[in-house]
Amino acid sequence: MTMDAAVYPDDFQEIAPQRLRPLAALKAFNRLIRDKEDTAQVFEIMRALTGASGARGYNRMLRTVEGGRQAFLRQELAYRLDDPAWLARFAPGTVGGEYRAFREARGFTADGLAETAREVAPEIDAPHPVVWYSRRLRDIHDIWHVLTGYSTDALGEACVVSFSYGQTQNLGFAFIGWGAAREIQRENRSIPARRAVWQAWRNGRRAQWLPSLDYEALFAEPLETARARLGIRPPTVYACVPEASRAALKLRA
């Protein structure tokens, strides 16, 4: 054994595949249903059901020129997204301008979401490429709200995570999306929640693969131009639900 191996034995420890824990996901989902604002439960579900999807997603990045470039640069998007001077550069109607308006209307910050993630999974800041990819998915979640047209009401969140499942094949997204659709349907049968999340999943599968994008360049692009270029289809089922009906959803305890 070399001196380095003796002093730093964990350096040579192989990373085991992440075990799926559906029961833990179910318990976290029940807590989330009782309080939609309890974002920590989302991270509990994702931690329980991510499995090997993170490693698959990172490896997929390496198979394209731009994805490989982003993986090589390994930028932390949360720092950019919380820089008001940088966000102020983007004109209204661009992806960046619409993202800025989205955040300001809701008081969201990328660091706030990151802090919640750290409470559940302290290892999320680990210097490892697959963990970096997980941080990237976390940080682009609100950008995908803007790109897809789904708001932050209960149905909109169910749809954007279903879109995310179509993109990433992460079972945590599927669990949240379909579970929330079921609860919404139970609360208000007139809302086509299952059709909305099904369309969102299909839209995610049909769009270009978004995790590997150069998001700094994307922010300067007009939103409608970006949607067309990336093949992001309009959320017609979601949009047909009156805004007042979506806002009234409380989900069932």
Side-chain angles (χ1 to χ4, degrees):
M1 178 181 290
T2 67
M3 178 63 71
D4 283 348
V7 177
Y8 304 110
D10 288 344
D11 287 358
F12 299 91
Q13 178 181 341
E14 291 189 9
I15 298 175
Q18 194 166 344
R19 183 171 56 90
L20 297 177
R21 295 179 292 115
L23 184 58
L26 181 60
K27 291 178 179 178
F29 181 77
N30 288 335
R31 292 191 290 267
L32 180 63
I33 290 300
R34 289 192 291 270
D35 180 6
K36 186 175 75 71
E37 303 305 318
D38 188 1
T39 312
Q41 302 310 318
V42 173
F43 291 110
E44 290 281 9
I45 295 168
M46 298 304 294
R47 193 182 192 195
L49 295 179
T50 289
S53 66
R56 288 197 303 267
Y58 181 77
N59 288 332
R60 183 172 179 178
M61 289 190 76
L62 302 183
R63 294 201 295 269
T64 66
V65 172
E66 184 56 41
R69 189 175 79 89
Q70 292 299 317
F72 177 79
L73 294 174
R74 205 170 300 169
Q75 293 175 331
E76 298 291 346
L77 285 173
Y79 300 144
R80 271 296 198 204
L81 298 176
D82 279 347
D83 181 350
W86 183 72
L87 286 179
R89 299 178 184 179
F90 303 107
T94 62
V95 176
E98 294 304 306
Y99 173 77
R100 181 180 63 241
F102 174 92
R103 280 170 51 112
E104 290 174 350
R106 295 162 178 82
F108 290 171
T109 65
D111 188 60
L113 196 62
E115 281 299 320
T116 303
R118 290 183 188 109
E119 293 172 8
V120 174
E123 70 276 8
I124 193 62
D125 290 321
H128 188 281
V130 175
V131 183
W132 167 82
Y133 173 78
S134 297
R135 292 195 295 272
R136 185 175 179 86
L137 291 184
R138 176 198 69 199
D139 295 337
I140 61 182
H141 173 81
D142 286 341
I143 303 174
W144 286 12
H145 270 289
V146 173
L147 288 174
T148 59
Y150 295 116
S151 190
T152 52
D153 52 77
L155 181 60
E157 291 290 0
C159 287
V160 83
V161 296
S162 297
F163 179 95
S164 301
Y165 176 57
Q167 285 275 307
T168 67
Q169 301 304 300
N170 185 316
L171 289 174
F173 288 131
F175 187 90
I176 297 169
W178 289 105
R182 184 195 65 180
E183 296 299 322
I184 291 169
Q185 206 85 64
R186 289 171 62 186
E187 180 180 335
N188 187 339
R189 291 184 180 278
S190 69
I191 293 180
R194 290 190 179 92
R195 285 201 298 119
V197 300
W198 179 261
Q199 182 186 54
W201 170 74
R202 286 191 304 161
N203 286 354
R205 283 178 58 85
R206 292 171 176 174
Q208 295 293 321
W209 199 60
L210 306 183
S212 64
L213 294 178
D214 180 345
Y215 280 90
E216 294 192 23
L218 178 71
F219 268 34
E221 195 170 346
L223 177 57
E224 293 306 324
T225 302
R227 285 171 172 166
R229 178 175 67 84
L230 297 171
I232 300 174
R233 303 186 182 198
T236 54
V237 178
Y238 171 81
C240 80
V241 180
E243 186 175 348
S245 298
R246 299 198 308 260
L249 287 170
K250 301 299 182 186
L251 298 185
R252 295 178 58 161

